[in-house]
Amino acid sequence: MEAIFLVGLLCVLFNNGIEVDASHSEFQNFQSHNLTVPETQPYRTSYHFQPPKNWLNDPNGPMLYKGFYHLFYQYNPNGALFDAGMVWAHSVSHDLINWIHLNHALYPTEPFDIKSCWSGSVTILPGNKPAILYTGINANDTQVQNLAMPKNLSDPLLKEWIKFSQNPVITPPTGVAKDDFRDPTTAWVDAEGKWNVIVGSLINDRGMAILYQSEDFVNWRMYKDPLHSKEKTGMWECPDFFPVSINSTNGVDTSVMNPSVKHVMKASFNSHDYYIIGTYVPGVQKYIPDTDFTSTNTDLRYDYGKFYASKTFFDSIKNRRILWGWVNESDSSEDDVRKGWSGLQSFPRQIWLNRSGSQLVQWPVEEINKLHDKQVSIQNKKLDGGSVLEIPGITASQADAEIVFELPELEEAELLKSTPVDPQQMCTDANASVRGRLGPFGLLALATEDLTEQTAIFFRIFRHENTYIVLMCSDQSRSSIKENVDKTTYGAFVNIDPQNEKISLRSLIDHSIIESFGGEGRTCITSRVYPQLAVHKEAHLYVFNNGTQSITISRLKAWGMSKAQFNYEESCLNNEAHNGEGLSCFVGMFEK
Ligand SMILES: OC[C@H]1O[C@@](CO)(OC[C@@]2(O[C@H]3O[C@H](CO)[C@@H](O)[C@H](O)[C@H]3O)O[C@H](CO)[C@@H](O)[C@@H]2O)[C@@H](O)[C@@H]1O
């Protein structure tokens, strides 16, 4: 690769006739690659959370306790595919970056969860006492809600959990199918000291959040009405209900209720995480959304790519709300069995309400800076129409790249004749190789040198009446020469006025996952890709402009990423062998 830059190569790449201008002087740090993922497992991640093997899905009960972040998650201890016998796997971290995999917190043992311990949440009760509410699949395949408490509150790792002897604490009410009743949220306490929790459900083609109330967290009564419901939304999986500040990016505790917050209702259905923003009136248990779910592509989503069954928690040390989401594979089940694993957690994102209150904004937690390794910077670089510029000198297979673009001639934007339009369809119809005027421009990640393989994350700007519309796409169509993987293209609009603001893109690239944040976190798109050639040292990262108009890279910063530590010992993974001491799992963990 270095040779390319030494000769200042200006070449035409054979795939799409795009010019490559690599004769740039701004780049420093021509360093050797710091590759850390085994060659035999090119799709394992370096800094995205994953267990050593097997199937992972929903994040469960994230929390902060006595200085440790805890992440539980749905895990199949018996294989790489989803199955009966799901457990709550448990990992802890002091920085959301490096993790220790502990013994499973919950696994099927009792009649009320004998077939599986499914998703749920943690609530911190008065006196700093965490409590888990989770869905058990009982012997009759009925979904019931169970309670579990830590065995030893003085253990900051909360290694052992005791299931409440009188479980289940909530069973499906009349009219609810036994398999449409699951995933309790973090509970919140109201002015009278009553606990409130919602459980996802579906009745007569209406997805809903059924509300339960309790004085003691043990005895729960169903409220007469669901907290919210909407027809044609499907079964609401993994609901999340939390307040967001209207005038600050800081997070607030789940029980905060005052005029300075709005409330977010998130539900997972139809393979996506949708949310609405509204006002919660606790006395009458009414949730009044500013705009309700519409079952159209205008509904707000956390992420317009692969991202599901997410959950937030309040980090009381850094006063922020953090979001985790499950990022499923896009390869086949056979591939997963061959790999021996399936599923990732997204990189944790801070989440807050934008100034106008119209949508949420997400950004990777600041701790990501700890992983930044070699850095490349570019400033004020013109990118002519039809050109590609390599970002050299960093490990392109595990990188964090942030670019701010400046668009000189907005009036040149193509005309968008009619709205509404489907942004994902627009990205599919005109992929990265289709030339426009202002765009496509963006990143080519996990790309081969000849661009045979590439995942393009890009923008196109359109003019519509007197405004401009910014489209963001993640085009996986050329992500791999391998067949039999889902290469669906994703797309969404970015709520940004390019007349007043520059357009930014940040992508977290990690071997088989690319999480992209457009417009400073206003639109997020996560994709899973399986390049066969663009792996390890063969992976390259480029900025491209395939529009006819020039644009300027006003600022670019890109870093190679160090590998996060995911430590474990066999004894930590194996319930039988685990002796309950567990600290040996921490060898070398906190030395940095
Ligand atoms: O692990 C159980 C929890 O997962 C959730 C949301 O992801 O429900 C999953 C669900 O099963 C489907 O999803 C599996 C992976 O999550 C998938 O591999 C499986 O094939 C699917 O059936 O469970 C029910 C019953 O199968 C289905 O309706 C869901 O989509 C969450 O709700 C659970 O607590």
Side-chain angles (χ1 to χ4, degrees):
M1 189 176 79
E2 292 180 12
I4 297 175
F5 297 102
L6 290 173
V7 295
L9 185 68
L10 187 69
C11 67
V12 175
L13 288 167
F14 53 77
N15 259 307
N16 53 9
I18 294 176
E19 284 179 359
V20 176
D21 174 4
S23 57
H24 37 81
S25 56
E26 304 92 324
F27 300 117
Q28 299 117 19
N29 295 325
F30 281 75
Q31 307 283 341
S32 64
H33 288 282
N34 165 27
L35 290 171
T36 42
V37 171
E39 299 281 336
T40 49
Q41 283 277 6
Y43 309 126
R44 283 195 69 81
T45 55
S46 278
Y47 60 97
H48 280 81
F49 183 97
Q50 62 180 154
K53 60 179 182 178
N54 292 339
W55 168 275
L56 158 158
N57 59 295
D58 317 354
N60 292 154
M63 70 163 152
L64 179 62
Y65 183 71
K66 295 195 171 174
F68 284 90
Y69 294 101
H70 291 249
L71 178 66
F72 307 88
Y73 55 96
Q74 289 287 285
Y75 178 74
N76 176 6
N78 302 312
L81 303 178
F82 182 80
D83 211 342
M86 296 295 289
V87 309
W88 275 46
H90 184 194
S91 300
V92 289
S93 168
H94 66 115
D95 60 2
L96 292 166
I97 300 288
N98 302 295
W99 293 87
I100 288 288
H101 300 305
L102 295 176
N103 208 12
H104 305 324
L106 301 172
Y107 41 94
T109 53
E110 306 298 324
F112 51 77
D113 65 9
I114 198 67
K115 291 208 170 166
S116 263
C117 297
W118 275 14
S119 288
S121 308
V122 164
T123 303
I124 312 277
L125 304 183
N128 201 22
K129 294 180 180 158
I132 289 176
L133 281 173
Y134 71 101
T135 299
I137 309 300
N138 73 13
N140 182 31
D141 288 314
T142 300
Q143 296 170 0
V144 298
Q145 316 315 322
N146 300 320
L147 175 64
M149 309 289 277
K151 184 173 181 185
N152 175 10
L153 282 169
S154 61
D155 170 16
L157 308 183
L158 299 173
K159 289 192 298 282
E160 289 182 87
W161 291 77
I162 312 253
K163 295 171 188 171
F164 180 51
S165 57
Q166 283 154 53
N167 276 335
V169 292
I170 306 177
T171 54
T174 311
V176 169
K178 65 180 186 178
D179 55 353
D180 282 337
F181 187 64
R182 57 182 179 274
D183 309 337
T185 59
T186 295
W188 64 97
V189 67
D190 60 26
E192 295 113 50
K194 212 182 295 152
W195 287 103
N196 296 263
V197 74
I198 53 176
V199 178
S201 191
L202 172 76
I203 302 179
N204 298 334
D205 202 22
R206 272 190 102 82
M208 64 179 66
I210 302 183
L211 178 66
Y212 286 84
Q213 297 187 315
S214 172
E215 268 85 38
D216 57 7
F217 220 79
V218 168
N219 296 291
W220 294 90
R221 273 181 323 278
M222 189 175 77
Y223 191 73
K224 59 184 171 61
D225 301 312
L227 185 57
H228 195 58
S229 72
K230 186 70 189 173
E231 76 276 0
K232 299 199 182 342
T233 45
M235 161 73 202
W236 283 16
E237 298 187 321
C238 302
D240 199 8
F241 185 65
F242 57 90
V244 280
S245 276
I246 54 174
N247 49 20
S248 163
T249 59
N250 285 346
V252 286
D253 182 86
T254 308
S255 292
V256 167
M257 275 164 254
N258 60 45
S260 69
V261 299
K262 299 279 283 189
H263 272 77
V264 174
M265 174 77 77
K266 183 278 292 187
S268 304
F269 51 84
N270 299 338
S271 307
H272 302 303
D273 278 13
Y274 295 96
Y275 70 89
I276 47 183
I277 299 162
T279 305
Y280 173 46
V281 192
V284 288
Q285 297 302 349
K286 279 260 173 294
Y287 179 65
I288 307 158
D290 297 347
T291 312
D292 210 344
F293 296 119
T294 64
S295 298
T296 68
N297 59 35
T298 60
D299 283 349
L300 291 167
R301 280 165 54 182
Y302 281 165
D303 194 296
Y304 294 84
K306 287 221 143 184
F307 190 92
Y308 194 66
S310 64
K311 196 170 291 296
T312 62
F313 75 102
F314 175 59
D315 173 350
S316 56
I317 291 187
K318 294 202 169 183
N319 276 325
R320 57 188 175 174
R321 186 161 283 271
I322 294 175
L323 169 70
W324 286 97
W326 166 43
V327 185
N328 196 5
E329 301 297 310
S330 292
D331 62 0
S332 65
S333 299
E334 292 74 28
D335 284 332
D336 294 342
V337 170
R338 215 170 295 125
K339 299 194 313 245
W341 60 274
S342 175
L344 302 174
Q345 299 296 347
S346 63
F347 194 81
R349 304 172 180 178
Q350 187 171 345
I351 184 166
W352 66 90
L353 187 66
N354 70 349
R355 280 232 182 107
S356 68
S358 62
Q359 68 158 104
L360 297 170
V361 181
Q362 300 162 58
W363 202 241
V365 294
E366 62 184 9
E367 286 85 345
I368 196 169
N369 298 342
K370 288 177 78 170
L371 293 172
H372 285 165
D373 191 15
K374 306 287 168 357
Q375 185 188 325
V376 170
S377 307
I378 301 176
Q379 274 183 345
N380 295 324
K381 172 89 182 165
K382 192 172 170 209
L383 209 54
D384 287 333
S387 64
V388 176
L389 179 70
E390 177 152 22
I391 304 172
I394 58 168
T395 50
S397 58
Q398 51 191 70
D400 176 2
E402 193 179 351
I403 319 175
V404 181
F405 295 102
E406 203 174 327
L407 312 174
E409 291 137 6
L410 277 181
E411 56 280 4
E412 294 301 323
E414 285 153 79
L415 206 60
L416 190 65
K417 289 187 194 93
S418 63
T419 53
V421 276
D422 177 350
Q424 178 161 358
Q425 195 57 49
M426 288 170 78
C427 295
T428 308
D429 293 344
N431 66 20
S433 65
V434 177
R435 277 194 105 158
R437 286 194 214 149
L438 279 175
F441 60 87
L443 281 171
L444 299 178
L446 296 173
T448 47
E449 205 173 327
D450 65 3
L451 301 185
T452 302
E453 288 187 330
Q454 52 164 281
T455 296
I457 308 105
F458 62 86
F459 300 108
R460 285 179 194 270
I461 317 298
F462 296 93
R463 196 151 48 86
H464 178 65
E465 294 166 355
N466 293 327
T467 59
Y468 291 93
I469 291 177
V470 178
L471 177 71
M472 176 175 166
C473 305
S474 183
D475 170 11
Q476 283 69 241
S477 61
R478 293 170 62 184
S479 58
S480 177
I481 55 168
K482 185 173 158 52
E483 286 173 5
N484 233 349
V485 295
D486 176 8
K487 296 177 188 169
T488 302
T489 289
Y490 309 123
F493 295 119
V494 189
N495 179 14
I496 195 168
D497 178 0
Q499 295 172 107
N500 300 321
E501 268 186 272
K502 292 178 181 171
I503 295 175
S504 73
L505 172 66
R506 182 175 187 184
S507 289
L508 307 184
I509 302 156
D510 195 2
H511 299 273
S512 63
I513 180 170
I514 304 174
E515 282 187 78
S516 297
F517 302 80
E520 297 177 323
R522 277 171 261 204
T523 298
C524 306
I525 305 184
T526 298
S527 65
R528 297 299 311 278
V529 290
Y530 308 89
Q532 291 226 299
L533 309 169
V535 295
H536 304 307
K537 287 180 184 167
E538 303 309 319
H540 297 253
L541 179 60
Y542 301 93
V543 193
F544 79 104
N545 175 16
N546 200 21
T548 53
Q549 305 300 306
S550 300
I551 55 166
T552 301
I553 300 172
S554 143
R555 189 159 40 83
L556 176 150
K557 276 189 181 173
W559 296 266
M561 297 291 272
S562 304
K563 186 172 167 49
Q565 291 183 51
F566 292 93
N567 291 353
Y568 64 96
E569 289 186 345
E570 280 309 305
S571 60
C572 300
L573 291 174
N574 181 335
N575 286 322
E576 285 76 42
H578 185 57
N579 62 9
E581 292 306 316
L583 276 176
S584 56
C585 301
F586 284 81
V587 173
M589 182 71 182
F590 302 118
E591 284 167 5
K592 276 191 174 173

